């Protein structure tokens, strides 16, 4: 059983805070199992978007982990990221959107192996 989304988001934001990175919940989704999207603003007009990894990325031995993949290999203009997030919320209103700000682009997420 995977950790509830609201608990995971709280822990993630605390981790960001301990590293000196500002983070906030922009859209609160379903507390139990809402998908989590993480936007990392680079404070230069660009951002990275991390989306939930496909189910095939999960190991049966570690089903509680949450893995992410970048939506694009390079930073995108913030307007493009916002457009993608708008589409995601239209498709899944139970999703969470978390935004952090870090010029170095640190995300503190577990990325799926490609």
């Amino acid at each position: 059983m995977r950790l509830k989304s609201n608990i995971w988001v709280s822990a993630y934001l605390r981790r960001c805070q301990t590293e000196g990175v500002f983070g906030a919940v922009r859209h609160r989704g379903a507390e139990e199992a809402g998908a989590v999207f993480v936007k990392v603003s680079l404070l230069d007009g660009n951002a990275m978007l991390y989306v939930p990894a496909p189910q095939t990325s999960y190991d049966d031995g570690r089903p509680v982990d949450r893995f992410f993949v970048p939506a694009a290999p390079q930073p995108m203009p913030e307007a493009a990221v916002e457009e993608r997030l708008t589409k995601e919320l239209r498709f899944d209103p139970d999703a969470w959107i978390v935004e952090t700000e870090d010029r170095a682009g640190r995300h503190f997420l577990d990325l799926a192996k490609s």
Side-chain angles (χ1 to χ4, degrees):
M1 185 167 159
R2 191 181 297 179
L3 197 60
K4 291 181 180 179
S5 295
N6 64 333
I7 295 171
W8 187 91
V9 168
S10 294
Y12 176 71
L13 290 174
R14 183 173 299 268
R15 168 75 197 280
C16 291
Q17 183 182 29
T18 61
E19 298 290 339
V21 172
F22 173 77
V25 175
R26 284 200 21 215
H27 184 268
R28 189 173 197 67
E31 288 193 18
E32 299 271 332
V36 179
F37 294 83
V38 178
K39 175 185 172 185
V40 179
S41 175
L42 302 176
L43 303 172
D44 65 356
N46 293 306
M48 288 294 294
L49 178 61
Y50 295 91
V51 302
Q55 289 294 25
T56 56
S57 301
Y58 289 87
D59 181 356
D60 291 337
R62 297 173 55 188
V64 298
D65 293 337
R66 282 188 190 259
F67 294 111
F68 293 83
V69 293
Q74 299 297 321
M76 302 183 298
E78 288 211 43
V81 172
E82 291 301 322
E83 185 178 319
R84 168 79 186 266
L85 290 172
T86 300
K87 288 179 184 176
E88 291 293 346
L89 285 177
R90 219 176 295 131
F91 175 74
D92 181 10
D94 288 335
W96 290 74
I97 297 177
V98 177
E99 182 168 347
T100 64
E101 296 177 343
D102 187 54
R103 290 187 194 285
R106 296 176 297 166
H107 53 75
F108 314 111
L109 299 168
D110 291 327
L111 299 181
K113 295 177 182 161
S114 40

